[in-house]
Amino acid sequence: QRAMADAVQAELKRRLDATGCVENTLELAKELGVDHQIVVGVCNSLSAKEYIEKTAQQHSSVGLTEQGAQYADVGSAEAQVFTAVPEAGISQAKLMEQLGAIAKEGVSKAMAAQFVRIEKTADGPIIHRKVETIEDTVQQQLIAVRDKGADSVPKDVTDALKKRKLIALSTKTSFKVVPGPAFADWGSGKTAAADLTAEMISQGTWASHTFKPVNLEALGKDPGSGHLHPLMKVRTQFRQIFLEMGFQEMKTNRFVESSFWNFDALFQPQQHPARDMHDTFFVKEPARTREVPPEYLAAVKRMHSEGGFGSTGWRYDWSEEESRKNLLRTHTTAISSRTLYDLAQLAKQSAAGGGFKPGKYFSVDRVFRNEALDATHLAEFHQVEGFIIDRNLTLGNLLGVLQEFFGRLGMSGLKFKPTYNPYTEPSLEVHAWHEGLQRIVEVGNSGVFRPEMLRPMGFDDDVSVIAWGLSLERPTMIRYKLNNIRDLFGHKVNVGMVKNNPICRLGYE
């Protein structure tokens, strides 16, 4: 291949010396009997040294496809079928097995051309010749196109061959070559220097050197720095919105949680389907927790089994053993239950100094559920949650906060739909119009925490908590136009997507 490249270079030099131009490198490659890519490689090398200048030219032509070239060599599909049919006939099944992929098209075209006929028998269809000899006009047409070009056959013929995908339009790129600025140095042994060295400067030889041009628009070397995942970008936006609204971030460093804080403290009964192992990942070792405040555990047990503070409770035999089971937290509300309990204890301890204080808190972190994996569900995902605690908060306060929060996300015209949550009453689904999807979509869940959850912690009866939550993945998928959650999170994520995804500014279009 090196010898071919040297021959091409020598011929290019000879022609440029003689005529000052090579009009078409495709024609040059054909005349020299070499692959066009070898000519292109030589031209690229000479162009980099400025010995030549090249201009790209597009050439469109009609040529044979792979199947068309095969038919030109051995005959069309219908002709091959005719040849394969003996005078006594042949079963269609045997013919299909004998000719393989072309048999179906061949039989169809041979019947249309009146080359063969099919006889139906008890043993299956039998194919017979209908004429003694045939003329393979399709093969002749393909040979004409191959040797003389598409203009050598009528247009209706080329249309028919295109329909059968035996010929196709192809575009090739060639180059027009003319002498470059350094053409005179070609063959002189002088080469342009790539860099100005300290030695050239100290010896004063730089003035006698020719230097390669510097491309000031070339991109610098990729430093290989890290890149933020789209989920992290959207999470940062959510955190910023919460902080701008005066919220404090809760501690979320507990992936392993007890059933007590994840379910029981939220007044979720132990018979609830969400507590089944089909929906929850239980921890094998350590299987039980020992860190539950005894007084609070007793208060929660009474609320579940007997009721209190005006509630009848769930009226069942509450199990402490079930409550102490460890699991991977199924929602970030487990964090909220711990935070609320800590606030209640702080209020008791500082009763002399005013006791209870209102507050606003949020969390954004990972949760785990034993769900079937599909395009919209994973066994682990992220939840965004916020709550406000104060005296005498109402549903109206919740609706106002939701309007403000989702408005900062760029969502307006919220719709609310009543729903059921074990630990909130009333409970509302939050829906909003999505411009990208051009439909109303569910964007979150919300409600007012039940007194059965708050009173055992030690809060006064006029203390209320309004709360809401949503997933982090759904808005991220909508923002980055992803249809499959596995393209966003998990082992199948394209690392290039993480590197090249755009910035995220929620609430701005």
Side-chain angles (χ1 to χ4, degrees), residues 92 107 111 116-120 125-128:
Q92 187 173 4
V107 170
M111 289 183 64
V116 298
R117 63 181 176 84
I118 295 181
E119 176 189 359
K120 293 184 179 180
I126 303 296
I127 299 177
H128 297 277

Side-chain angles (χ1 to χ4, degrees), residues 188-465:
S188 66
K190 292 176 62 178
T191 57
D195 298 302
L196 177 65
T197 65
E199 184 181 358
M200 292 179 186
I201 296 174
S202 62
Q203 295 179 359
T205 58
W206 62 269
S208 61
H209 280 276
T210 302
F211 292 93
K212 290 182 179 179
V214 177
N215 182 5
L216 298 177
E217 296 182 358
L219 296 176
K221 184 179 179 180
D222 187 346
S225 58
H227 301 272
L228 287 175
H229 190 280
L231 277 174
M232 299 301 100
K233 293 183 179 181
V234 176
R235 184 183 71 171
T236 300
Q237 289 289 299
F238 272 106
R239 289 186 73 254
Q240 187 62 33
I241 289 171
F242 275 116
L243 293 173
E244 288 173 356
M245 293 177 66
F247 282 70
Q248 301 178 56
E249 188 164 11
M250 294 182 274
K251 294 180 180 179
T252 61
N253 56 343
R254 285 180 178 267
F255 283 177
V256 176
E257 189 55 272
S258 68
S259 294
F260 178 83
W261 293 106
N262 197 83
F263 295 123
D264 294 285
L266 302 177
F267 195 57
Q268 190 161 336
Q270 293 182 343
Q271 300 86 358
H272 196 280
R275 301 180 70 152
D276 189 85
M277 67 174 57
H278 294 297
D279 295 302
T280 302
F281 290 109
F282 287 94
V283 178
K284 188 174 181 180
E285 185 65 34
R288 301 287 185 271
T289 184
R290 292 176 292 181
E291 298 179 359
V292 179
E295 292 183 5
Y296 182 43
L297 184 143
V300 169
K301 178 180 180 179
R302 282 194 302 271
M303 182 57 72
H304 278 251
S305 57
E306 302 172 13
F309 307 105
S311 171
T312 60
W314 294 114
R315 298 295 180 93
Y316 68 97
D317 188 12
W318 186 85
S319 168
E320 182 177 335
E321 181 72 12
E322 180 70 25
S323 182
R324 289 185 180 274
K325 288 182 179 179
N326 282 332
L327 47 80
L328 296 181
R329 67 183 180 209
T330 62
H331 50 190
T332 50
T333 316
I335 301 164
S336 300
S337 66
R338 281 183 174 273
T339 302
L340 286 168
Y341 175 76
D342 291 341
L343 291 174
Q345 303 316 298
L346 187 62
K348 290 179 183 179
Q349 295 169 10
S350 59
F356 170 78
K357 293 182 180 179
K360 298 187 283 188
Y361 298 86
F362 79 96
S363 64
V364 185
D365 212 334
R366 195 174 301 184
V367 297
F368 309 86
R369 291 185 188 171
N370 191 5
E371 295 187 342
L373 307 186
D374 57 31
T376 57
H377 296 87
L378 289 177
E380 54 180 310
F381 55 97
H382 295 76
Q383 273 192 342
V384 180
E385 184 162 329
F387 74 79
I388 298 176
I389 181 170
D390 204 345
R391 297 187 186 275
N392 301 313
L393 293 175
T394 66
L395 185 63
N397 297 114
L398 175 62
L399 297 180
V401 172
L402 292 176
Q403 294 282 2
E404 175 65 19
F405 176 77
F406 285 99
R408 290 175 181 247
L409 296 179
M411 302 179 190
S412 58
L414 297 184
K415 304 288 184 182
F416 303 99
K417 176 182 175 183
T419 188
Y420 169 76
N421 292 320
Y423 42 86
T424 59
E425 180 62 37
S427 306
L428 299 171
E429 289 180 1
V430 185
H431 298 256
W433 175 260
H434 189 275
E435 284 294 335
L437 300 177
Q438 287 295 298
R439 61 184 174 89
I440 292 177
V441 297
E442 182 182 351
V443 294
N445 207 323
S446 64
V448 181
F449 281 149
R450 296 177 65 147
E452 292 95 331
M453 173 185 166
L454 299 177
R455 295 303 300 279
M457 293 179 178
F459 288 114
D460 296 334
D461 60 358
D462 62 345
V463 172
S464 304
V465 177

Side-chain angles (χ1 to χ4, degrees), residues 6 24 82 102 153 156 179 185 225 247 286 288 321 433 469 505:
D6 291 341
N24 189 328
F82 180 83
I102 69 164
V153 296
D156 60 332
D185 295 331
S225 58
F247 282 70
R288 301 287 185 271
E321 181 72 12
W433 175 260
R505 297 183 70 205

Side-chain angles (χ1 to χ4, degrees), residues 110-177:
M111 289 183 64
Q114 301 294 309
F115 292 169
V116 298
R117 63 181 176 84
I118 295 181
E119 176 189 359
K120 293 184 179 180
T121 69
D123 296 328
I126 303 296
I127 299 177
H128 297 277
R129 289 187 177 185
K130 202 170 183 179
V131 294
E132 293 183 4
T133 60
I134 63 167
E135 183 179 0
D136 193 354
T137 55
V138 172
Q139 182 184 30
Q140 295 171 3
Q141 292 162 356
L142 291 171
I143 292 173
V145 171
R146 181 189 66 189
D147 297 342
K148 301 177 183 178
D151 294 338
S152 63
V153 296
K155 185 178 182 302
D156 60 332
V157 171
T158 58
D159 290 343
L161 294 176
K162 284 180 183 177
K163 190 173 182 181
R164 290 185 64 175
K165 297 182 180 179
L166 300 179
I167 63 174
L169 181 68
S170 62
T171 301
K172 295 182 179 180
T173 301
S174 72
F175 295 94
K176 178 180 179 180
V177 179

